[in-house]
Amino acid sequence: MTDLHPDIERILISEDDIQRRVAEIAAEIDRDYKDAGQVVLVGILKGAFIFTADLSRKLSVPHSVDFMSISSYGDTAESAGAVRLILDLRKPITDRHVIVVEDIVDTGHTMNYLHQTLMGRNPASLKICSLFKKNRDSLDVPLDYVGFDLPDVWVVGYGLDYADTHRTLPYIAELKKEVYS
Ligand code: 5GP
């Protein structure tokens, strides 16, 4: 096994386990949408770009892929919860079956904002798929597909970053506390 990057505390979820779970989620979506016609996957940048690509390639239901980018205001705990739209979808989603593809849900503020924003555009249906969920007390947003529960630590890899680094690790790893605190 190659040496871990010095910022990494430990690997939490292996590449094999991630790939297996993504295939299971794709199979669930295939079952749920088998009669739906064309589906729209909405990947949330940047963190979900790798998950969106892998999920899309494992799906059999006909679908298109679009992206949104969301940012929280500021970096302080006080400002967490204020969310703004950085990049919007290229096409309207009115009367379309939409699945939001997110990397991780923590407090649920981001997903709450996305859910409200997208519901306001009158899709035929809206479901949410998040590969990771961190916080058992997160806001009451409906998560239709969830890959893994995670402990309350900062994780990187499989698209998730710390200051735009570590996104391309194939596994999910816990960052050393001294790196981010
Ligand atoms: P929420 O709004 O649910 O509190 O936070 C969700 C967003 O925070 C995610 O989309 C992600 O961008 C970021 N986030 C939360 N926890 C982590 C983490 O452990 N690692 C990384 N890289 N991003 C996280």
Side-chain angles (χ1 to χ4, degrees), residues 71-178:
S71 172
S72 295
Y73 278 121
D75 296 321
T76 63
E78 290 75 35
S79 64
V83 178
R84 77 194 153 112
L85 190 59
I86 304 284
L87 174 80
D88 206 346
L89 298 172
R90 295 283 293 267
K91 291 194 175 161
I93 53 164
T94 313
D95 298 330
R96 309 292 305 275
H97 292 290
V98 175
I99 304 175
V100 176
V101 182
E102 176 62 302
D103 52 359
I104 185 165
V105 172
D106 182 7
T107 63
H109 284 295
T110 306
M111 201 41 85
N112 200 31
Y113 170 87
L114 278 167
H115 190 257
Q116 281 180 25
T117 302
L118 295 176
M119 279 309 281
R121 300 180 187 184
N122 300 314
S125 68
L126 178 65
K127 286 197 181 184
I128 294 172
C129 173
S130 181
L131 188 54
F132 305 108
K133 182 176 189 304
K134 228 175 167 177
N135 190 334
R136 287 170 200 284
D137 302 324
S138 58
L139 290 180
D140 191 20
V141 262
L143 298 182
D144 300 283
Y145 307 97
V146 178
F148 301 90
D149 283 317
L150 286 178
D152 190 14
V153 294
W154 195 262
V155 296
V156 293
Y158 199 68
L160 289 117
D161 73 314
Y162 174 69
D164 249 334
T165 60
H166 305 306
R167 284 193 202 278
T168 54
L169 295 173
Y171 45 76
I172 280 290
E174 174 181 348
L175 206 62
K176 283 184 179 157
K177 287 223 164 47
E178 60 264 29

